[in-house]
Amino acid sequence: MSKQKRQRTTAQPPEKLTGLKLGSIPESAGGLTAVGVALQHVQREMGTLRGFKLLSKLNQHDGFDCPGCAWPDPDKERSSIAEYCENGAKAVAEEATLKRVDAKFFSKNSVASLAELSDYEIGKMGRLTEPMMLKEGATHYEPISWTDAFELIADELNGLQTPDEAIFYTSGRTSNEAAFLYQLFVRLFGTNNLPDCSNMCHESSGQALSQTLGIGKGSVTLEDIHKAEVIMVVGQNPGTNHPRMLSALQKCKRNGGKIITVNPLPETGLMGFKHPQQVADLVTGATTLTDIFLQVRINGDVPLAKALMLMLLEAEQTTPGSVFDHAFIEEYCDGYNQFIANLKKYDLGEMIDRCGVPEALLREAADLLIKHDKIIICWAMGLTQHKNAVANIKELVNLLLLRGAVGKEGAGTCPVRGHSNVQGDRTMGIWEAPKEAFLKRLGDEFNFEAPRKHGYSVVPAIEAMHREDAKVFIAMGGNFISATPDTEYTAEALRRCKLTVQISTKLNRSHLIHGRRALILPCLGRTEKDVQEEGEQFVSVENSMGVVHRSRGALKPASRELLSEPAIIAGLATSTLGEESGVDWHWHVEDYDRIRDAIEACIPGFEEYNKRVRQDGGFYLPNGARERKFNTADGKAHFTVNTLPELEVGNDEYLMMTIRSHDQFNTTIYGLDDRYRGIYNERRIVLMNPEDVKAAGLQQGEAVNILSSFNGVEREARNFLVVPFNIPTRCIATYFPEANVLVPIDNFADGSKTPASKSIVCRIEKRG
Ligand SMILES: Nc1nc2c(c(=O)[nH]1)N[C@H]1C(S)=C(S)[C@@H](COP(=O)(O)OP(=O)(O)OC[C@H]3O[C@@H](n4cnc5c(=O)[nH]c(N)nc54)[C@H](O)[C@@H]3O)O[C@H]1N2
Ligand SMILES: Nc1nc2c(c(=O)[nH]1)N[C@H]1C(S)=C(S)[C@@H](COP(=O)(O)OP(=O)(O)OC[C@H]3O[C@@H](n4cnc5c(=O)[nH]c(N)nc54)[C@H](O)[C@@H]3O)O[C@H]1N2
Ligand SMILES: [Mo]
């Protein structure tokens, strides 16, 4: 790599190290330490009293939805003390911080100087307080009025040759009300360029599930989790990313359920759990969660699923009718014969070798799956971010179908969603590939012809900006530069835009890597009171299990200048579309009930929206798979034939996954510790098998560079410290977003285009 190229790394977090400390790995998650850490974060950001007052509203019926993950709340009774987790408390503290990033801050700090800070440092600066603009060639952001900001955007948008030259990104924290208005504005403007964070997240699940079961969402409810006999948790780290799931797993275990975990890492939270709010747990110790731990190689899930299904087939052949649910298969499924014929072609021994799990353990797991048919499979990014991600999920659907484990109590699919409203945003029409029926209803209701041409998802959007086919980029939340793959390529794409606009609560790197002109439009967060013309408003969100419920903020907004997301959209739409749109945007925003009425008119399942959303706990959206109504073309659930991933790791290479530490929410870095993995005060680390460390002649704590080479392009991430860890050989792990520079833009999942950020072929180079 040339010297010049190396210097141009300002789009990445800086290389500087913060001082790695290694500690012991705890045996269980939760407990009093979790409570203590949560309180530290709350105290530091917002003061003890204010913090406690706010936390008492978190996830309560009349309170606000946690801005963290999408794990559901109990339908009826809620704990009056605390219906949240350590990481939920951190998420709240981060948003409700008392620190402010105001005009004075921007006049003192140039964009270039801020870009030299780490994501942790940037995030800790505080909440944005007023609209800011970066003029072409300027070094500092300056204040701009809301009216001027809207006009500027309208001029740029209306000056484009076609509406398809604009891109409208959404991150999954946006409420249903804001998401619906946003997509309406974008489609009235004339494009379906609505990429969203889901494209990098559960898109592979959506694809696999709609093709096989006729709905792109999971089929289970929280009650099902409690009642399951076997739960497989595959490629997911709930102790960190969905901590409240641990109490649901604990309930399942107390009802006699068993848990099989499939993961390259023995994640602490899945091994043991102490409920931080149950005194008995704190006294008597942790509940063991995982009964069988299958330590799969990275991207070894297809061979692993095939191995398990071959074992099921063996048992079925020995005693026909004892394992497969033939009545279910006959009545509801298609493709069984082709599937079985194909499965028989695979050699069990080879599948076992390829997944890397000892045969005895696989047999134990298969035995549980043979003896019980109330089976739930939960999964997250460990499955969705590979080239063969869609196949990963389809194989697990095959497994469930064989056992008739879909659409009955205690059984089904459970893709555990990330952002708190990512599922709702898609329901609202944030999708670059909308269905005809949806576009037709939208057009009929609002009297226009919605564009039919599909738009760009995230990866094609970046490529379009890189080619300069797209020139204006607007983001409703999120942190596009740090969340997307191939950091330097994406930075170049954004720099080529004429205008980049970020609608945000907090400062992030996407404000610093920008187009020729840039705008920051600050908005209200979940925790804050949203007062409009007709009084205080609430918004609504859909959780991972399809429950739509309300969320009402409690705090005084961080600044008087902030607008709500719906109000910002109304401003954008009014100035861009003028009278032409025929929609009275501001009238809708005066009372969000009016937006919900419009949603009810356009989207099935939202009948009596305003009434039902006011019930405690909200309401369930219809879910065909849950009732064995498979909305595929032929009304059947589909077995599918999936091939094995290609073997791709050479002798001096490793397969790398980019994962989350315990102290971050995506690109928001709460702190520098990863307590459940025993790693403290450093994010630039690479987890390696101790044998690999030795074989490569490396030492614990030694600094290395990581290189990835794909389709002839070499990428480099510099200065990572080696941490020997319990991970399969030839597999390594780094944190996202530090390692995103290594994720090739053109390496993504077949069918869903989700970047393959969990299987990057890499080399490791000692730093001279
Ligand atoms: N506190 C907190 N909560 C969050 C988030 C956060 O960053 N912080 N992010 C939110 C979002 S948007 C999402 S999508 C979710 C993410 O939730 P997760 O998917 O749990 O997050 P990751 O850290 O990406 O973890 C992936 C897990 O998959 C495993 N894995 C990696 N590769 C493979 C593989 O090939 N096979 C198998 N079987 N396992 C593999 C890793 O070891 C890890 O345990 O969490 C949400 N909740
Ligand atoms: N290498 C690698 N890359 C990944 C992943 C991975 O596992 N590995 N995971 C992927 C996944 S699963 C996801 S979901 C994406 C996440 O991608 P994004 O959703 O784009 O990223 P976040 O870090 O969640 O966005 C955080 C920013 O959102 C803004 N924000 C927070 N709350 C609000 C709000 O209420 N309103 C508005 N308007 N803004 C708000 C704040 O300014 C904050 O800085 O990243 C993906 N990227
Ligand atoms: Mo996500």
Side-chain angles (χ1 to χ4, degrees), residues 684-739:
R684 300 188 75 84
I685 52 105
V686 48
L687 306 184
M688 283 181 87
N689 182 288
E691 279 175 36
D692 288 339
V693 173
K694 212 164 129 198
L698 295 166
Q699 305 284 331
Q700 171 173 312
E702 186 169 346
V704 295
N705 297 331
I706 311 174
L707 299 107
S708 89
S709 170
F710 190 79
N711 282 347
V713 180
E714 182 103 322
R715 297 170 175 84
E716 185 180 34
R718 297 171 55 77
N719 213 18
F720 286 74
L721 303 180
V722 171
V723 175
F725 208 81
N726 182 357
I727 184 171
T729 49
R730 313 312 294 177
C731 295
I732 58 174
T734 48
Y735 296 134
F736 138 61
E738 282 77 0

Side-chain angles (χ1 to χ4, degrees), residues 172 197-202 242 381 384-385 416-419 422 660 665-666 736:
C197 69
S198 178
N199 300 145
M200 299 178 273
C201 184
H202 266 295
H242 306 91
M381 298 304 102
T384 64
Q385 299 175 333
V416 185
R417 299 281 160 168
H419 267 298
V422 60
R660 292 156 170 79
F665 190 95
N666 297 343
F736 138 61

Side-chain angles (χ1 to χ4, degrees), residues 237 241 263 267 299 301 381 386 657 660 664 666 758:
N237 178 21
N241 299 312
N263 201 306
E267 301 284 22
N299 206 15
D301 300 276
M381 298 304 102
H386 298 279
M657 57 181 182
R660 292 156 170 79
Q664 71 183 90
N666 297 343
K758 296 278 191 280

